[in-house]
Amino acid sequence: MADVPVSALEARQQRLVRNAAAAFERGNDDYVLEMCGQVLQAAPECVAMRRLQRVARLRQFKAKNRLLAKAIGGLTATPFVLGAKQAPEQAFATAEKLLAADPTSAAALKQMGAAALALGWAETAVFAFEAARELQPENRDNLLALGGAWLAAGKPAEALRMAEAILRTRPVDPAAQDLMRQASIAQTVTKSRWDSDSSFREKLRDEAQAISLEQAAKVVTSDGMTQRLIDEAQARVAQEPGNLNHYRSLVHGCRQLGRPDDALAWLRKARALPAAAADAGWEKMESELQLEQHERAVTEAEATADDGEKPTRVERARAALAAFRLAEAQRWVERHPNDPPARQALGGLLLEAGKIDAAVAQFQQAQRHPQVRIAALLGLGRAFKAKRLFDLAVAQLKTAKGELGALDETKKEVVYELGGCLEAMERNDEAIEEFKAIYSEDIGFRDVAAKVDAYYSRR
């Protein structure tokens, strides 16, 4: 099955494409993803829509996780196992689900690329491997896979670039040398596919559609172009002061140029308009910009304060940042009480602030939901440990340990905390068994090596 250009979609799906591109400009990522999902369900090999879907996912993922990521601590409730032995259709579907949950998963992108190649969707494979390359630019295996995908897509010059990128650091890499030979041969013998007038016109139309979508989804532009867009948006605001799209363009442009104060000023002017006053999207954007201000204040304090005043300035800036995060998380949970990840994140922030009982209440509600159950059980264990209720902490941590499989980073955290609680209860033989489980897999994890060595030296 070949990749499907936008021009080959049914008329209804082409309308969805146009609606998605317009929604992206307005910043309505939920609607963009809904439209992309409908198109890709009917035409999963439509690369233009997959590109737009990815950029919307990344933008939404960043917005949702910015205030909560540190509290969650990178834990996931259920470790993903990629379906390497699945049929291509199943492997592709699995990769799509993983990327919907975490668009920054390089492993899921590689699985999508491999499955797309097996299905004959060369351009989709290129898209997936290119996205993985953005996350892991030096990964040799991914560069090889990307080169193979470019070859399958009939772009030998791009495949050559991948081979050259590998050979710059690994001059005698046999697989890269083979890729270079194949690409060189293909470049020599492959005729241009722009032969007939009809083909030429068809390709121009498809290329225009793709370029239009990609420009709508552009995350990075040159500073000069961004400033020009800002100037144009300011002129449009003067002509149409009630049009929120112009304010959105100004906020986006100022953020791109690293001017969050200006972005926040324009955003607050927009929120003063009736159409944006109660809009959750504008509210979330304001929180993000305020968070950026606090983070910048911490960075500036660390970089510019004199040695004598540095501890005080840095502490004040960090305290303000922590207080802001906590206040925003509390406000979010009050408005969205059925959001388990938000409750889990709030619990982490409360625990960090020393408000242990309040943290326990949030963790207890969050742990009922599979999405964040393990992280919440770990949070409960840490909270009970902080209250020196070690038996309760052990019960929570053993439950979490029993629900996890392989000893990944999440399970190491759980086992380490369990060992620490047992150690505090002077159940040293049981504690050392937990530490030894980590030691046998990862000697460099925290201080397990010192704990194990000390135990055996005492014996």
Side-chain angles (χ1 to χ4, degrees):
M1 191 184 299
D3 293 285
V4 172
V6 171
S7 61
L9 297 173
E10 296 176 0
R12 175 182 172 277
Q13 293 167 351
Q14 291 194 35
R15 284 197 298 273
L16 295 179
V17 172
R18 292 192 293 272
N19 291 344
F24 186 91
E25 286 291 336
R26 295 193 300 270
N28 189 347
D29 290 327
D30 287 334
Y31 187 78
V32 173
L33 293 175
E34 182 183 344
M35 296 299 99
C36 288
Q38 289 186 37
V39 174
L40 291 170
Q41 186 173 12
E45 64 281 34
C46 180
V47 184
M49 282 306 273
R50 203 165 286 286
R51 288 194 187 106
L52 186 61
Q53 180 191 57
R54 173 160 181 77
V55 179
R57 275 179 176 168
L58 285 169
R59 190 165 70 177
Q60 190 178 70
F61 183 78
K62 179 182 177 183
K64 284 183 176 179
N65 287 275
R66 188 166 183 78
L67 290 170
L68 310 180
K70 288 194 177 181
I72 294 173
L75 298 178
T76 52
T78 51
F80 293 133
V81 179
L82 298 184
K85 296 183 179 180
Q86 294 176 334
E89 296 88 348
Q90 293 174 313
F92 194 90
T94 300
E96 284 190 303
K97 289 178 182 177
L98 297 178
L99 290 168
D102 180 7
T104 64
S105 170
L109 287 164
K110 292 172 190 175
Q111 175 166 314
M112 173 177 279
L117 273 181
L119 291 166
W121 305 342
E123 294 287 347
T124 302
V126 167
F127 153 79
F129 290 131
E130 279 282 16
R133 186 187 179 200
E134 291 175 5
L135 298 168
Q136 299 177 347
E138 306 300 327
N139 186 291
R140 174 257 189 194
D141 291 339
N142 187 65
L143 289 173
L144 273 177
L146 177 55
W150 278 121
L151 269 181
K155 304 284 182 65
E158 297 297 333
L160 272 173
R161 286 199 309 109
M162 297 303 104
E164 289 167 355
I166 297 170
L167 292 170
R168 276 196 294 270
T169 56
R170 303 165 65 115
V172 292
D173 189 304
Q177 290 172 344
D178 186 55
L179 174 62
M180 178 166 278
R181 280 193 296 272
Q182 292 181 55
S184 298
I185 293 169
Q187 195 172 36
T188 302
V189 302
T190 302
K191 289 185 178 180
S192 170
R193 295 182 183 179
W194 296 64
D195 295 334
S196 67
D197 288 343
S198 62
S199 173
F200 180 79
R201 285 192 297 271
E202 187 71 17
K203 284 184 177 291
L204 275 182
R205 185 162 62 252
D206 293 341
E207 190 71 15
Q209 288 273 18
I211 289 172
S212 175
L213 283 176
E214 287 189 49
Q215 285 179 339
K218 210 76 167 172
V219 176
V220 179
T221 57
S222 70
D223 287 354
M225 175 63 75
T226 302
Q227 185 57 55
R228 192 177 78 183
L229 293 173
I230 289 173
D231 294 340
E232 292 174 357
Q234 282 183 288
R236 289 195 295 270
V237 165
Q239 295 172 354
E240 299 178 282
N243 191 323
L244 290 177
N245 288 333
H246 305 331
Y247 291 93
R248 187 175 283 108
S249 297
L250 283 165
V251 172
H252 180 66
C254 290
R255 291 183 77 178
Q256 277 196 311
L257 291 181
R259 290 155 43 188
D261 293 342
D262 291 343
L264 190 58
W266 283 111
L267 185 143
R268 285 173 173 160
K269 287 181 180 179
R271 291 205 69 197
L273 300 173
D279 189 299
W282 286 97
E283 181 185 4
K284 184 188 295 183
M285 205 185 310
E286 184 171 8
S287 292
E288 290 176 14
L289 287 167
Q290 288 176 289
L291 179 64
E292 287 178 16
Q293 284 185 320
H294 285 290
E295 289 176 338
R296 191 173 72 255
V298 171
T299 302
E300 289 175 354
E302 292 172 340
T304 62
D306 295 333
D307 290 341
E309 64 174 356
K310 189 169 186 175
T312 304
R313 280 191 58 188
V314 171
E315 285 169 12
R316 281 202 301 264
R318 287 177 179 169
L321 174 60
F324 175 78
R325 280 202 178 103
L326 179 56
E328 286 297 292
Q330 287 174 321
R331 189 165 59 86
W332 183 268
V333 168
E334 287 170 5
R335 297 189 60 176
H336 306 276
N338 297 318
D339 186 342
R343 286 197 176 277
Q344 159 60 27
L346 175 56
L349 291 168
L350 288 165
L351 182 58
E352 188 178 305
K355 300 180 179 182
I356 300 173
D357 289 339
V360 168
Q362 297 300 327
F363 289 138
Q364 285 175 335
Q365 292 195 57
Q367 60 94 24
R368 300 169 190 162
H369 300 269
Q371 186 180 3
V372 291
R373 176 169 169 76
I374 299 299
L377 287 170
L378 177 56
L380 278 171
R382 286 171 170 162
F384 289 139
K385 181 183 177 184
K387 288 176 69 72
R388 302 188 65 79
L389 302 175
F390 297 117
D391 55 338
L392 295 179
V394 166
Q396 301 298 326
L397 294 165
K398 282 187 173 180
T399 300
K401 178 186 173 183
E403 294 181 13
L404 289 168
L407 192 67
D408 58 8
E409 294 303 311
T410 301
K411 191 167 184 177
K412 289 175 194 173
E413 292 286 345
V414 170
V415 171
Y416 184 87
E417 293 290 350
L418 176 57
C421 289
L422 292 168
E423 194 175 44
M425 299 170 74
E426 298 185 356
R427 292 160 59 178
N428 295 324
D429 289 342
E430 293 176 68
I432 202 63
E433 290 304 315
E434 303 298 336
F435 295 133
K436 281 163 61 178
I438 302 173
Y439 181 91
S440 62
E441 294 283 335
D442 183 359
I443 194 173
F445 186 84
R446 297 207 186 181
D447 60 347
V448 291
K451 288 180 179 292
V452 172
D453 290 346
Y455 176 81
Y456 281 103
S457 66
R458 289 195 300 271
R459 295 184 65 187

